[in-house]
Amino acid sequence: MKPLRAAQLVLSISVIVLALLQLTDVWANAIYLYEPLLGAVLLIQAVQNWNKNRLVAYGSIVVAVLLLGTTVYILLR
């Protein structure tokens, strides 16, 4: 398995688990952890799609920047 694919898989599973913990009220502040992880998943997706489909890669980068910017804004507020 390629390293980027493995990292994407691990991060995706982590995001799913943390989102479920948030939704079931087990951990009320899990969003502070899984939101940046979701941004990292999107950046990995952009790297993987760069040679295949640049439009998708640019879209992933834009969404990742917006998501990470929102995370910084929320944490500094």
Side-chain angles (χ1 to χ4, degrees):
M1 183 176 278
K2 296 181 181 179
L4 278 180
R5 181 72 181 139
Q8 184 180 20
L9 183 64
V10 169
L11 289 174
S12 296
I13 291 170
S14 300
V15 167
I16 292 169
V17 169
L18 289 167
L20 287 174
L21 290 174
Q22 175 85 33
L23 289 171
T24 57
D25 289 332
V26 173
W27 185 11
N29 294 326
I31 191 168
Y32 297 125
L33 188 56
Y34 77 77
E35 192 171 305
L37 291 178
L38 191 56
V41 170
L42 287 169
L43 289 175
I44 291 172
Q45 180 181 345
V47 170
Q48 289 175 333
N49 287 321
W50 188 255
N51 290 329
K52 298 174 195 168
N53 191 342
R54 291 264 167 103
L55 186 61
V56 171
Y58 285 131
S60 295
I61 291 169
V62 168
V63 173
V65 168
L66 288 171
L67 186 65
L68 294 172
T70 303
T71 301
V72 170
Y73 175 76
I74 290 172
L75 290 175
L76 295 178
R77 189 168 64 115

